Amino acid sequence: MKSTWPLLLTAWLFAILSTAGALFIGEVMLMTPCTLCWYQRIAMFPLALILGIASYSNDRQGAVYALPLALSGALISGYHTLLVAGWIPKTWIPCGAGVSCANQKLEILNGVQIPWLSFAAFLFITVLVSIYLKKTSK
């Protein structure tokens, strides 16, 4: 069981990094998040707490609680990624008044947009937690 602990720790580090990045973009760069970004934050912020506690105590139950959050975040960010890429019609945007979910203005690493990074983080956390749960099943 000790060899599985780094999986939870790595998932927690990704959740912390993602949470810090979202807070930096919103609070330091003063960029208002769109509706889909808010939904992704709703899934990611608790992951930082749940995975932190689970990795500290090597608790399988924490990973069980984290998996649905990671999966829902991956689905939302995957949809957002497809929307930004133009593969989903802009009429399917759940955003109302305010910041557009389809027009992202922040790119890093030569064109990588924030929804893509969010999708990668959620997917990576989902994979790590799934592997952890598989290895610790009784």
Side-chain angles (χ1 to χ4, degrees), residues 25-27 29-35 37-38 41 98-100 104:
I25 290 168
E27 301 302 319
M29 296 178 67
L30 301 176
M31 292 186 68
T32 305
C34 68
T35 303
C37 289
W38 274 116
R41 287 176 178 208
V99 180
S100 171
Q104 294 293 314

Side-chain angles (χ1 to χ4, degrees), residues 37-48:
C37 289
W38 274 116
Y39 294 155
Q40 292 167 58
R41 287 176 178 208
I42 290 168
M44 184 60 76
F45 290 2
L47 277 175

Side-chain angles (χ1 to χ4, degrees), residues 12-76:
W12 174 65
L13 291 173
F14 265 82
I16 286 290
L17 182 65
S18 299
T19 298
L23 289 173
F24 180 81
I25 290 168
E27 301 302 319
V28 176
M29 296 178 67
L30 301 176
M31 292 186 68
T32 305
C34 68
T35 303
L36 288 174
C37 289
W38 274 116
Y39 294 155
Q40 292 167 58
R41 287 176 178 208
I42 290 168
M44 184 60 76
F45 290 2
L47 277 175
L49 293 172
I50 293 169
L51 289 171
I53 294 168
S55 65
Y56 178 74
S57 59
N58 197 15
D59 181 21
R60 186 175 196 282
Q61 202 63 30
V64 170
Y65 296 142
L67 188 59
L69 283 171
L71 285 170
S72 63
L75 288 173
I76 295 166

Side-chain angles (χ1 to χ4, degrees), residues 48-132:
L49 293 172
I50 293 169
L51 289 171
I53 294 168
S55 65
Y56 178 74
S57 59
N58 197 15
D59 181 21
R60 186 175 196 282
Q61 202 63 30
V64 170
Y65 296 142
L67 188 59
L69 283 171
L71 285 170
S72 63
L75 288 173
I76 295 166
S77 60
Y79 177 80
H80 198 183
T81 299
L82 294 174
L83 188 63
V84 169
W87 294 347
I88 293 179
K90 295 195 190 268
T91 56
W92 292 4
I93 298 174
C95 301
V99 180
S100 171
C101 292
N103 298 326
Q104 294 293 314
K105 295 180 178 141
L106 182 61
E107 295 180 357
I108 59 172
L109 304 173
N110 292 328
V112 178
Q113 296 184 359
I114 299 304
W116 303 353
L117 290 175
S118 179
F119 179 66
F122 277 117
L123 197 60
F124 191 63
I125 291 169
T126 299
V127 168
L128 288 173
V129 171
S130 297
I131 293 170
Y132 175 83

